[in-house]
Amino acid sequence: MTDNTDKLVIGGRVFSSRLMVGTGKYASFEQTARALEVSGAEIITVAVRRVNLDRSKESLLDYIDPQKYTLLPNTAGCYTADDAIRTCRLAREAGMSDFVKLEVLGDEKTLFPDNEELLKAAKVLVGEGFTVLPYCSDDVILCKKLEDLGCAAVMPLGAPIGSGLGIRNPYNIKIILENVKIPVIVDAGVGCASDAAIAMELGCDGVLMNTAIAGASDPIAMAEAMKLAVIAGRLSYKAGRIPRKLYANASSPLDGMFL
């Protein structure tokens, strides 16, 4: 049974769903809207540079109910701290949100974060009152620095963006979980429902994905699969797995039985 008291809290905001969903790569705005609905996600990330902010023309924002979803503008496509800061300011001025996913990329081939520029941008944005959720490397030292700067969560990658490789280094994620007190959201690399469940079973507070749903043969079905995987993974984590053992341990032991 789902625990209705088990809420995700980020920057003082409370959410029931631990699945966050992106809005790129869908076949149409209508398909996007349907996938969001089926996923049960409450936090929806939108690339500021790729959305039409002119509300007199058709825009993705026409299909996202602001009463139902919390917008998380992101700085996808930014390669410097200054560019990311400018993009966040634009999102706030456009009335989108001051609740932002901060991305500062290092290069176009790997789309790995530029950690130095990320820290610079995070410091400025936190100082300007933004609620900052940074996409970052799975590096515990970096995550602790982001926490110390005042970020509301950290979002270490599971694998390169859009790769679908799953959680490549679960041990780094575990170390991060043990050393930071703010929410840890796995971002990037999820390919299928089992990847999402693994992230949640590690103890992560949530999972953010886009390509895994939008790029599936049936995005609507995958959106539902991801919703269920996140729920199942969270329940499994809270239930507590049995210890791993090298040898068998009988399910029905004979100790104490009368023969």
Side-chain angles (χ1 to χ4, degrees):
M1 181 181 295
T2 303
D3 181 358
N4 290 326
T5 66
D6 183 33
K7 305 292 186 181
L8 173 61
V9 182
I10 302 177
R13 307 184 194 205
V14 181
F15 303 96
S16 296
S17 174
R18 293 175 179 271
L19 173 61
M20 306 176 190
V21 179
T23 51
K25 303 183 180 179
Y26 288 93
S28 66
F29 289 150
E30 290 81 4
Q31 186 184 67
T32 305
R34 180 60 181 149
L36 298 182
E37 180 182 2
V38 171
S39 75
E42 296 169 285
I43 299 175
I44 306 302
T45 183
V46 177
V48 179
R49 289 177 152 219
R50 297 170 188 153
V51 68
N52 184 5
L53 297 178
D54 181 357
R55 302 309 295 272
S56 68
K57 301 177 182 178
E58 185 180 41
S59 167
L60 170 65
L61 299 179
D62 297 329
Y63 293 82
I64 300 176
D65 182 354
Q67 302 301 315
K68 183 175 181 180
Y69 300 112
T70 294
L71 279 183
L72 183 66
N74 71 59
T75 61
C78 293
Y79 289 85
T80 67
D82 288 344
D83 202 6
I85 292 165
R86 189 181 311 113
T87 301
C88 289
R89 289 170 177 164
L90 174 62
R92 182 158 66 180
E93 289 299 317
M96 293 178 70
S97 182
D98 59 3
F99 189 60
V100 296
K101 176 189 170 185
L102 177 61
E103 295 184 27
V104 187
L105 302 176
D107 65 73
E108 295 183 3
K109 183 176 181 179
T110 67
L111 299 181
F112 283 145
D114 182 325
N115 296 329
E116 183 178 357
E117 291 292 293
L118 180 68
L119 288 167
K120 287 167 58 178
K123 183 176 182 179
V124 171
L125 291 169
V126 169
E128 293 185 3
F130 285 89
T131 301
V132 180
L133 286 69
Y135 160 69
C136 60
S137 302
D138 56 349
D139 177 340
V140 65
I141 305 303
L142 174 64
C143 288
K144 287 176 66 64
K145 287 181 178 181
L146 290 165
E147 180 181 35
D148 290 343
L149 285 175
C151 291
V154 287
M155 307 181 79
L157 56 83
I161 292 173
S163 68
L165 290 172
I167 312 301
R168 293 294 82 198
N169 198 332
Y171 304 104
N172 276 16
I173 300 295
K174 286 289 288 183
I175 292 170
I176 292 168
L177 287 164
E178 290 174 3
N179 284 277
V180 303
K181 297 181 175 62
I182 54 178
V184 176
I185 314 294
V186 163
D187 179 15
V190 169
C192 59
S194 59
D195 295 334
I198 287 169
M200 297 306 297
E201 287 181 327
L202 287 171
C204 293
D205 297 279
V207 182
L208 190 152
M209 65 185 72
N210 184 179
T211 306
I213 296 176
S217 298
D218 185 340
I220 309 306
M222 187 61 81
E224 183 174 10
M226 292 300 186
K227 171 185 175 179
L228 297 174
V230 168
I231 292 172
R234 178 66 177 177
L235 287 172
S236 177
Y237 168 72
K238 293 191 70 181
R241 64 158 293 128
I242 63 171
R244 290 181 172 87
K245 296 181 180 180
L246 182 59
Y247 295 104
N249 184 18
S251 300
S252 302
L254 298 178
D255 295 348
M257 293 185 64
F258 294 99
L259 301 179

